[in-house]
Amino acid sequence: MVNDRGQLYTMEGVAAGVIMLLTAYIVVSTTSVYTAGDTHIPDMQLEQLGSDVLAMMDTPDRDGKESQLVGFVKMGTGGGNDLRDAFLNNSRMRAGDPDNDLHAQVFLSYRRSDGSVNTTELSPPSDPGFTGRENAVRVTRWVQLDGNPSGIPGLGYSPRPRAVLVEVLLWRA
């Protein structure tokens, strides 16, 4: 014999099963969420590292001499590889520890005497296989120059200080 009590227990069992399945789905889906914001954290860290290295290189010595970055910029295209190598050397986490995954390319932008803006490549990429597909960050620093640096073509003489923009393209391969 079947009565109404058995039907009530069946409906209660089905409802409890649905609630348990729904709870299990919610628990599993919330613990394995990967947010899209987490993908840019390494890029932000790399950008901060590059910005810190440029700021350190632009700090003048205690003796009152010009900063290391100003010296490299005054050499112009002749000192581009030296600037890139010094930048990469200063980017190391520990002294003497080669970081072969970190690569850079350096550009210099300035206003010429005729008013046009010129951007020159100071150094080629340190990784000859750079395809542009790697996540690269651009770090910039304004450098103030006095007089007429001979290594920068078309800059022209000015008695006033002028600013040039150093751009470093930085990536991990």
Side-chain angles (χ1 to χ4, degrees), residues 2-173:
V2 177
N3 59 13
D4 292 343
R5 287 182 135 187
Q7 187 177 12
L8 184 62
Y9 290 138
T10 304
M11 287 179 19
E12 183 179 327
V14 169
V18 169
I19 290 173
M20 287 189 303
L21 286 175
L22 184 63
T23 303
Y25 171 75
I26 290 172
V27 167
V28 168
S29 67
T30 57
T31 58
S32 62
V33 171
Y34 180 73
T35 61
D38 293 343
T39 60
H40 300 293
I41 290 175
D43 292 341
M44 292 180 351
Q45 290 172 337
L46 191 60
E47 186 176 356
Q48 186 63 47
L49 171 70
S51 179
D52 289 346
V53 169
L54 280 179
M56 182 192 67
M57 290 178 71
D58 197 25
T59 303
D61 292 336
R62 189 163 67 162
D63 300 335
K65 292 189 253 180
E66 63 189 16
S67 69
Q68 186 181 19
L69 188 59
V70 170
F72 283 126
V73 168
K74 283 185 175 180
M75 284 193 293
T77 56
N81 289 343
D82 296 335
L83 174 57
R84 182 195 65 212
D85 294 341
F87 180 87
L88 290 174
N89 189 29
N90 289 330
S91 299
R92 292 185 180 151
M93 295 298 167
R94 292 184 301 269
D97 182 26
D99 190 358
N100 296 329
D101 292 339
L102 192 63
H103 299 285
Q105 185 176 11
V106 182
F107 298 94
L108 180 69
S109 298
Y110 58 92
R111 185 175 299 275
R112 298 173 59 127
S113 56
D114 62 0
S116 64
V117 176
N118 189 23
T119 300
T120 60
E121 178 183 41
L122 285 185
S123 72
S126 58
D127 177 19
F130 179 62
T131 61
R133 293 185 188 149
E134 293 85 358
N135 287 340
V137 295
R138 186 172 302 270
V139 205
T140 61
R141 180 86 177 178
W142 286 100
V143 177
Q144 192 170 14
L145 301 174
D146 293 324
N148 183 21
S150 60
I152 304 175
L155 192 58
Y157 177 76
S158 173
R160 300 182 317 183
R162 67 181 82 214
V164 296
L165 183 66
V166 175
E167 298 176 279
V168 179
L169 191 62
L170 190 61
W171 71 94
R172 289 201 181 273

